[in-house]
Amino acid sequence: MIRLGIDVGGTNTDGAILDANNEILASTKSTTTKDIFSGIKQTLNKLMEESQLDAKAIDVATLGTTHCTNAIVERKGLNRVGIIRICLPSGSAVTPLLDWPEDLVNQLDPITLLIHGGYEYNGDPIAPLEDGELQNAVEKLKGEVDSIAITSVFSPVQNEQEKYVADYLSKAMPEVPVSISSEIGSVGLVERENATILNAALMRTIRRVSEGFQQALEQEGIQAKIFLGQNDGTLMTNEYAQRYPIYTIACGPTNSIRGAAHLTNEPNAIVVDIGGTTTDIGVLAQSFPRQTSLAVEVGGVRTNYRMPDIYSVGFGGGTRIHQNDKGWKVGPDSVGYRLMEEAKVFGGETLTATDIAIAKGQLYFDEADITSVKNLPVAEIYETMRHVVEEAIDRMKTSSEDATVILVGGGAALIPGELKGASNVIRPAHAGVANAIGAALGDISGTVERIYLLENESYEVIIEKAKEEAVKNAVAADADPDRIQIIQLEDFPLAYLPGQALLVKVKAAGPLKM
């Protein structure tokens, strides 16, 4: 099985081709273009030329993309969303879209409906659904919205009402995609609802992305099966991505983390991904990215769906270096993909991190001229740059002990081979395209995050049921059923709920089924 991986970043679009043994046949880095897909086509051209492969030999093509993140941050191309909360007669004190940025609400132009239903913490219904309210919802939403987000009170415990409403609306409006919260978020009504609304808002964006990627592949004669990277370091089918586009958010850093694990054979480490604009620091745990247990803001909206534990700082190859009254300041602004035009060593007028690394002898470019920076306190500025990275690494550590650090990304060479807090610093071969390698690796996952009541079943039975459901979800996403493993298992007693409630999180993963 030959696999192609493409990862689109803010500065560069990276690509890699792996063979059946995960050996790298070709890799390349191109500047990200304004229209995105020109950069992808350029990367594909370079990969095919370097590998000398027949285009028909590529079986799988994977895209890691920032499109969905950008759509939310830039408030562009989002669907008009119909919002249904199943909650009455309770659950109406806090309204949907509370504390959302006003410009994002205006972009969604939502229609919001509250209907009877929902569940208590133990799965007992608050109220039955009313068909009259559902028919009213159809009349108000049909022809007015592009997608629908459905959230029910305590649906992580019991989601039958969400499924019923989704089925009812899908039959009445088959052309309108529906998102339900029990498949996306965790415990916490508002945050789960927020994640579901954002997922619904991204339907048009993800369709445009997948169609554009498919078109770029077809122009190269590549007829591979398409997958998209998701933010737990695994892949999802194109069809799955159309239902859950929110899972592509933050897939770039997780691709780099997975790529770092593959390139170094280190299952547990801190990964520092240095790009042209930012540095993302994540943690490898059993060869997969560590997930955060906290609520995460996306585009100014508080959510609680699955997200990687990533800390980002404004430091990269294009980062501007400023002088102020206190000395030298690193970033956070960057020249980004304009580095070769604006950096001083390339004839520009802006002092960047790349200028300092070249003057220090850490980086080398044939065309670089250090005349304009040789009189600056290079060593002092370089130590400031190093300190930014060391401080970020320290924030991600869970103990005071030194940890293995893996440097990847296009800017990996900016940083030296010794860092405070690091027992070992590894900069592997192909570090610059670790994200594309991670995208191409091809594991498929299935997850479960649900509340169970110990008063109804034993702990052992609950854990086995959760494992079975996670495996089932992985198989449904195209994982090989004979090679799936449980890679994460956590349970948390919920002391604030009566009835011995237990929150169980399980992740199963396995190679792609072919």
Side-chain angles (χ1 to χ4, degrees), residues 79-85 96-97 105-115 136-150 169 173 193 197 200:
N79 284 25
R80 188 184 188 195
V81 180
I83 301 169
I84 296 178
R85 182 190 289 177
L97 305 171
V105 175
N106 292 338
Q107 176 66 31
L108 297 185
D109 189 21
I111 298 176
T112 302
L113 301 171
L114 274 58
I115 65 175
N136 178 59
V138 170
E139 292 171 0
K140 289 189 175 181
L141 299 178
K142 194 167 188 177
E144 298 295 328
V145 299
D146 305 310
S147 54
I148 297 171
I150 301 171
L169 295 177
M173 297 179 284
E193 181 178 63
I197 296 168

Side-chain angles (χ1 to χ4, degrees), residues 325-458:
D325 296 339
K326 297 180 181 179
W328 296 92
K329 180 175 179 293
V330 178
D333 51 329
S334 170
V335 299
Y337 62 84
R338 302 184 307 277
L339 177 66
M340 300 302 288
E341 292 81 39
E342 297 199 20
K344 281 183 174 289
V345 296
F346 301 124
E349 299 296 325
T350 305
L351 182 62
T352 69
T354 296
D355 292 314
I356 299 302
I358 290 174
K360 183 74 167 57
Q362 186 68 29
L363 275 177
Y364 179 78
F365 282 88
D366 286 337
E367 61 269 39
D369 180 3
I370 65 170
T371 305
S372 59
V373 296
K374 66 179 182 180
N375 294 325
L376 294 173
V378 171
E380 176 189 342
I381 300 172
Y382 191 76
E383 283 306 307
T384 303
M385 289 164 44
R386 184 210 294 250
H387 181 69
V388 169
V389 175
E390 290 173 340
E391 192 175 63
I393 291 171
D394 192 57
R395 290 191 59 158
M396 294 301 291
K397 292 167 67 177
T398 55
S399 74
S400 59
E401 296 181 4
D402 290 351
T404 297
V405 173
I406 305 172
L407 299 177
V408 296
L414 289 171
I415 299 302
E418 294 183 3
L419 293 167
K420 289 180 182 177
S423 58
N424 185 25
V425 177
I426 306 172
R427 190 185 295 110
H430 304 287
V433 292
N435 50 359
I437 292 167
L441 282 173
D443 277 357
I444 304 290
S445 70
T447 60
V448 169
E449 186 168 341
R450 183 167 297 175
I451 296 173
Y452 296 87
L453 298 178
L454 286 169
E455 63 183 16
N456 298 332
E457 296 174 299
S458 70

Side-chain angles (χ1 to χ4, degrees), residues 30 85 205 250 288 309 357 424 444 446:
S30 303
R85 182 190 289 177
T205 299
F288 282 86
D309 190 4
N424 185 25
I444 304 290

Side-chain angles (χ1 to χ4, degrees), residues 142-410:
K142 194 167 188 177
E144 298 295 328
V145 299
D146 305 310
S147 54
I148 297 171
I150 301 171
T151 306
S152 170
V153 176
F154 272 113
S155 61
V157 179
Q158 178 62 268
N159 64 0
E160 290 304 313
Q161 289 186 351
E162 280 190 350
K163 288 183 175 179
Y164 182 88
V165 174
D167 186 59
Y168 188 101
L169 295 177
S170 294
K171 288 178 179 177
M173 297 179 284
E175 73 286 354
V176 179
V178 176
S179 301
I180 65 174
S181 74
S182 57
E183 296 178 350
I184 295 170
S186 183
V187 182
L189 175 66
V190 173
E191 290 84 359
R192 174 162 39 87
E193 181 178 63
N194 288 347
T196 309
I197 296 168
L198 288 178
N199 188 76
L202 292 167
M203 294 296 181
R204 183 186 299 124
T205 299
I206 198 67
R207 186 171 63 250
R208 187 172 65 248
V209 168
S210 61
E211 288 174 354
F213 186 45
Q214 186 168 6
Q215 184 178 7
L217 292 171
E218 288 174 353
Q219 288 179 3
E220 285 293 325
I222 298 172
Q223 300 173 350
K225 189 170 184 179
I226 293 177
F227 290 80
L228 277 80
Q230 57 179 334
N231 61 16
D232 64 354
T234 61
L235 305 181
M236 53 184 166
T237 62
N238 191 20
E239 295 76 19
Y240 194 88
Q242 302 307 307
R243 291 174 57 194
Y244 307 111
I246 198 169
Y247 288 153
T248 67
I249 292 176
C251 71
T254 57
N255 284 341
S256 294
I257 293 171
R258 286 281 290 140
H262 174 68
L263 291 172
T264 62
N265 291 317
E266 290 282 347
N268 301 292
I270 293 176
V271 179
V272 181
D273 180 14
I274 306 175
T277 305
T278 61
T279 291
D280 299 314
I281 298 96
V283 178
L284 262 175
Q286 301 302 318
S287 299
F288 282 86
R290 184 176 74 190
Q291 302 292 300
T292 183
S293 58
L294 305 174
V296 176
E297 277 202 3
V298 178
V301 177
R302 185 177 172 86
T303 68
N304 68 356
Y305 76 105
R306 181 193 72 215
M307 281 285 280
D309 190 4
I310 301 291
Y311 178 63
S312 299
V313 292
F315 173 72
T319 296
R320 298 174 190 262
I321 307 296
H322 306 275
Q323 186 175 18
N324 55 30
D325 296 339
K326 297 180 181 179
W328 296 92
K329 180 175 179 293
V330 178
D333 51 329
S334 170
V335 299
Y337 62 84
R338 302 184 307 277
L339 177 66
M340 300 302 288
E341 292 81 39
E342 297 199 20
K344 281 183 174 289
V345 296
F346 301 124
E349 299 296 325
T350 305
L351 182 62
T352 69
T354 296
D355 292 314
I356 299 302
I358 290 174
K360 183 74 167 57
Q362 186 68 29
L363 275 177
Y364 179 78
F365 282 88
D366 286 337
E367 61 269 39
D369 180 3
I370 65 170
T371 305
S372 59
V373 296
K374 66 179 182 180
N375 294 325
L376 294 173
V378 171
E380 176 189 342
I381 300 172
Y382 191 76
E383 283 306 307
T384 303
M385 289 164 44
R386 184 210 294 250
H387 181 69
V388 169
V389 175
E390 290 173 340
E391 192 175 63
I393 291 171
D394 192 57
R395 290 191 59 158
M396 294 301 291
K397 292 167 67 177
T398 55
S399 74
S400 59
E401 296 181 4
D402 290 351
T404 297
V405 173
I406 305 172
L407 299 177
V408 296

Side-chain angles (χ1 to χ4, degrees), residues 459-481:
Y459 173 83
E460 291 75 16
V461 170
I462 285 172
I463 295 301
E464 284 306 311
K465 285 177 64 175
K467 286 181 179 179
E468 288 172 7
E469 188 173 351
V471 170
K472 181 180 177 181
N473 291 342
V475 172
D478 249 15
D480 184 340

